[in-house]
């Protein structure tokens, strides 16, 4: 049986993890490779690295990091942030990334999704969508939720699938950072309308939230950052709880 | 031990090279028939689309070479699919090493299958020390049908052959290089065949 996936997400700036990390036995909490190894050992199913470097220099450092992660970590990982071209993706995949995640660049030029899917295969193309609810409509936003577009979440998700995306990473800006649970209604609607896997993101605060997003939100995977980084929820306890709730997970 | 990863331009081969490095082996990347012929072990990787990958194989004559190899050959993911008779992806004729067709999952399940699924019915030395129901990581929209050459079975809407073997040719649909310590055990087993 295909299991539900648990995905810690690491924000990377100039080759280092940002946001505090509260892990025991970690020599260097800012080192993404050390952190990734820990997560792989603890049973994370995949990892996502989000490059938030604003400079070209920072982006170059990202490639070095991808190479090191690929060298030392034996589970799949996705790299996102600032990807705008086939060349960017080519370099990341050649450096050992398994998938790439694109967001704004897909909204700005949707053909990029087709180009990447044709060249590298749908399986490595994740389209990240940030959306928030405005007057009962889910509206896609860019730049970390600050810039609204005229796209409706469900229409855009359908288009993204038709253009060849292999997976959707949906972050509810309304839920992100609240620790009050995932946007399960919208997630379930996405899952029912689309035939590609959906990763739930934004709102994880408790183990129960993960149970709910897999059951009510019908998510295929759930992504979170701070609850894992600060040790508020460990991957092990989370998986035990999911199993107790009859949700298939990998041990 | 000379391990050669066939480098014909398809997909993420760095991960496979790194996986061998973690096991203490230096695997070489090459598309040179002489280098491939003289290897002790050959890895035939592949990620991406079948018809274009087959085109790349043909342009370097590797489609002729691979079926003639005598040492253990391990096809991974699309590599395994290309070793089959044919695949529905791009209506592509395969290398016809395994006598089985590759088909697309129907839409009763999410396609691609992405993530960790179990392997059962393990039948080869390739799985020495690997427990039945071990989890392996896969990402794919197409599968090889269950057949007499199956050495592992996985269920995703139906039972399919998640690994195949015929003589010195092995194929796995999942990614051992990304499947944690159990995947590494399978690569280790392949090296010691």
């Amino acid at each position: 049986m295909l299991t539900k996936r648990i995905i810690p997400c690491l924000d990377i700036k100039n080759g280092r993890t940002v946001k505090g990390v509260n892990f025991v036995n970690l020599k260097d909490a800012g080192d993404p490779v050390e952190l990734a190894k820990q997560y792989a050992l603890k049973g994370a199913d995949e990892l996502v690295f989000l490059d938030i470097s604003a400079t070209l220099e920072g982006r170059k450092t990202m490639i070095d990091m991808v190479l090191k992660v690929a060298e030392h970590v034996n589970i799949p990982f996705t790299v996102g942030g600032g990807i705008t071209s086939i060349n960017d993706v080519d370099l990341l995949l050649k450096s050992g990334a398994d998938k790439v995640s694109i967001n704004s660049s897909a909204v700005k030029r949707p053909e990029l999704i087709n180009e990447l899917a044709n060249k590298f295969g749908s399986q490595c193309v994740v389209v990240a969508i940030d959306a928030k609810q405005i007057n009962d409509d889910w509206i896609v936003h860019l730049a970390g939720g600050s810039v609204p577009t005229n796209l409706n979440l469900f229409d855009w998700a359908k288009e993204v699938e038709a253009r060849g995306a292999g997976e959707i990473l949906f972050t509810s800006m309304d839920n992100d950072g609240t620790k009050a649970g995932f946007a399960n209604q919208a997630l379930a609607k996405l899952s029912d309308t689309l035939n590609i896997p959906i990763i739930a993101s934004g709102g994880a605060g408790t183990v129960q939230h993960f149970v709910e997003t897999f059951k009510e939100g019908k998510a295929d995977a759930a992504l979170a950052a701070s609850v894992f980084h600060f040790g508020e929820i460990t991957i092990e306890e989370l998986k035990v709880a999911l199993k107790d709730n009859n949700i298939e997970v990998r041990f | 031990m000379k391990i050669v990863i066939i480098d014909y331009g398809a997909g993420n081969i760095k991960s496979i090279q790194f996986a061998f490095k973690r096991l203490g082996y230096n695997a070489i990347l090459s598309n040179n028939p002489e280098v491939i012929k003289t290897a002790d072990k050959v890895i035939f990787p592949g990620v991406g689309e079948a018809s274009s990958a087959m085109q790349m194989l043909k342009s370097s004559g590797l489609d002729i070479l691979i079926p003639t190899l005598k040492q253990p050959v391990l096809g991974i993911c699309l590599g395994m699919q290309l070793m089959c008779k044919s695949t529905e992806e791009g209506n592509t004729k395969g290398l016809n090493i395994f006598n089985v067709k590759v088909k697309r999952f129907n839409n009763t399940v999410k396609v691609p299958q992405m993530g960790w699924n179990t392997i059962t019915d393990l039948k080869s030395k390739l799985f020495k020390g690997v427990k039945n129901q071990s989890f392996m990581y896969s990402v794919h929209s197409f599968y090889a049908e269950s057949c007499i050459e199956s050495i592992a079975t996985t269920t995703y809407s139906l039972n399919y052959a998640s690994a195949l073997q015929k003589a010195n040719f092995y194929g796995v649909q999942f990614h051992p290089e990304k499947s944690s310590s159990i995947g590494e055990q399978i690569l280790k087993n392949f090296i010691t065949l």
Side-chain angles (χ1 to χ4, degrees):
Chain A
M1 179 88 102
L2 182 68
T3 66
K4 301 291 186 182
R5 288 168 283 151
I6 299 298
I7 310 177
C9 176
L10 309 176
D11 283 353
I12 308 293
K13 194 172 183 182
N14 303 322
R16 307 276 296 167
T17 48
V18 294
K19 289 183 184 169
V21 173
N22 185 10
F23 253 22
V24 279
N25 301 328
L26 207 60
K27 282 183 217 129
D28 176 1
D31 179 1
V33 181
E34 277 290 309
L35 202 48
K37 273 162 77 174
Q38 282 293 322
Y39 277 128
L41 267 175
K42 304 282 184 207
D45 297 304
E46 272 182 53
L47 298 166
V48 168
F49 296 91
L50 202 54
D51 185 11
I52 56 168
S53 306
T55 62
L56 196 61
E57 206 50 44
R59 300 230 174 273
K60 283 185 190 145
T61 316
M62 190 68 179
I63 294 293
D64 292 336
M65 187 217 77
V66 169
L67 272 168
K68 284 195 195 110
V69 171
E71 185 172 351
H72 295 286
V73 176
N74 57 13
I75 60 168
F77 66 99
T78 303
V79 178
I83 296 166
T84 57
S85 69
I86 284 191
N87 279 345
D88 291 342
V89 174
D90 193 42
L91 192 56
L92 286 166
L93 296 180
K94 277 191 180 140
S95 306
D98 298 284
K99 303 185 237 179
V100 295
S101 157
I102 53 173
N103 189 337
S104 311
S105 56
V107 172
K108 285 176 193 148
R109 204 173 66 80
E111 300 76 28
L112 180 63
I113 303 168
N114 305 69
E115 292 166 14
L116 296 179
N118 290 338
K119 177 125 175 86
F120 306 105
S122 290
Q123 81 293 329
C124 68
V125 184
V126 182
V127 174
I129 306 178
D130 299 341
K132 64 172 114 179
Q133 251 180 323
I134 299 174
N135 303 327
D136 288 339
D137 259 346
W138 281 93
I139 303 296
V140 177
H141 282 62
L142 301 181
S146 57
V147 182
T149 68
N150 54 11
L151 293 169
N152 167 284
L153 165 66
F154 303 103
D155 296 339
W156 175 233
K158 261 188 245 172
E159 180 177 344
V160 156
E161 177 182 41
R163 287 181 181 277
E167 194 167 39
I168 286 176
L169 166 53
F170 164 53
T171 303
S172 161
M173 306 309 302
D174 296 332
N175 300 58
D176 200 30
T178 63
K179 297 200 174 180
F182 295 90
N184 292 325
Q185 256 189 321
L187 280 161
K189 190 169 169 189
L190 279 177
S191 216
D192 287 339
T193 354
L194 304 182
N195 203 47
I196 54 176
I198 311 290
I199 306 171
S201 159
T206 66
V207 164
Q208 187 58 27
H209 293 152
F210 287 88
V211 173
E212 287 163 6
T213 205
F214 290 129
K215 289 206 159 163
E216 292 153 33
K218 302 180 184 176
D220 299 286
L223 175 144
S226 59
V227 288
F228 294 139
H229 301 331
F230 291 111
E232 291 163 23
I233 299 175
T234 67
I235 308 276
E236 296 106 311
E237 66 167 315
L238 175 55
K239 287 202 164 175
V240 168
L242 292 173
K243 196 177 173 224
D244 288 346
N245 280 277
N246 299 317
I247 294 165
E248 292 283 339
V249 285
R250 174 183 74 109
F251 281 97
Chain B
M1 171 74 65
K2 182 172 161 191
I3 303 166
V4 174
I5 302 169
I6 301 179
D7 181 8
Y8 60 107
N12 179 358
I13 50 179
K14 205 80 191 164
S15 306
I16 302 175
Q17 199 177 22
F18 280 139
F20 282 113
K21 196 174 167 190
R22 287 194 293 274
L23 294 173
Y25 294 92
N26 178 31
I28 310 162
L29 307 179
S30 179
N31 67 351
N32 180 335
E34 287 313 311
V35 175
I36 296 167
K37 263 192 246 175
T38 55
D40 297 306
K41 299 286 183 317
V42 175
I43 305 290
F44 177 33
V47 162
E49 198 274 331
S51 63
S52 46
M54 189 51 90
Q55 214 46 54
M56 288 190 270
L57 279 182
K58 281 184 175 161
S59 66
S60 43
L62 292 169
D63 61 321
I64 309 288
L65 174 75
I66 293 170
T68 67
L69 293 172
K70 298 285 177 260
Q71 63 277 64
V73 177
L74 177 65
I76 298 177
C77 193
L78 181 62
M80 182 210 84
Q81 294 182 358
L82 294 177
M83 290 159 86
C84 297
K85 201 193 282 181
S86 63
T87 163
E88 286 184 355
E89 191 176 23
N91 270 324
T92 309
K93 264 187 82 177
L95 300 179
N96 208 12
I97 294 168
F98 301 123
N99 187 23
V100 57
K101 287 182 180 163
V102 175
K103 298 190 163 175
R104 191 180 190 279
F105 285 119
N106 66 39
N107 283 347
T108 58
V109 282
K110 297 233 179 150
V111 183
Q113 169 173 231
M114 196 173 289
W116 299 81
N117 201 336
T118 48
I119 51 173
T120 58
D121 213 2
L122 309 178
K123 280 181 195 153
S124 160
K125 278 191 281 186
L126 195 61
F127 299 113
K128 197 180 156 202
V130 176
K131 283 192 196 126
N132 201 34
Q133 305 274 11
S134 288
F135 285 102
M136 305 303 294
Y137 185 83
S138 303
V139 196
H140 60 125
S141 304
F142 297 80
Y143 65 92
E145 294 182 293
S146 280
C147 61
I148 195 160
E149 290 154 357
S150 290
I151 51 169
T153 300
T154 296
T155 307
Y156 192 59
S157 78
L158 44 75
N159 291 337
Y160 66 90
S162 44
L164 296 162
Q165 186 198 345
K166 184 183 186 181
N168 57 317
F169 293 98
Y170 297 78
V172 290
Q173 179 59 62
F174 47 82
H175 287 273
E177 76 280 14
K178 286 287 168 180
S179 294
S180 195
S181 52
I182 302 164
E184 286 170 350
Q185 178 65 45
I186 292 171
L187 292 178
K188 219 187 282 179
N189 290 343
F190 178 71
I191 292 169
T192 49
L193 278 174

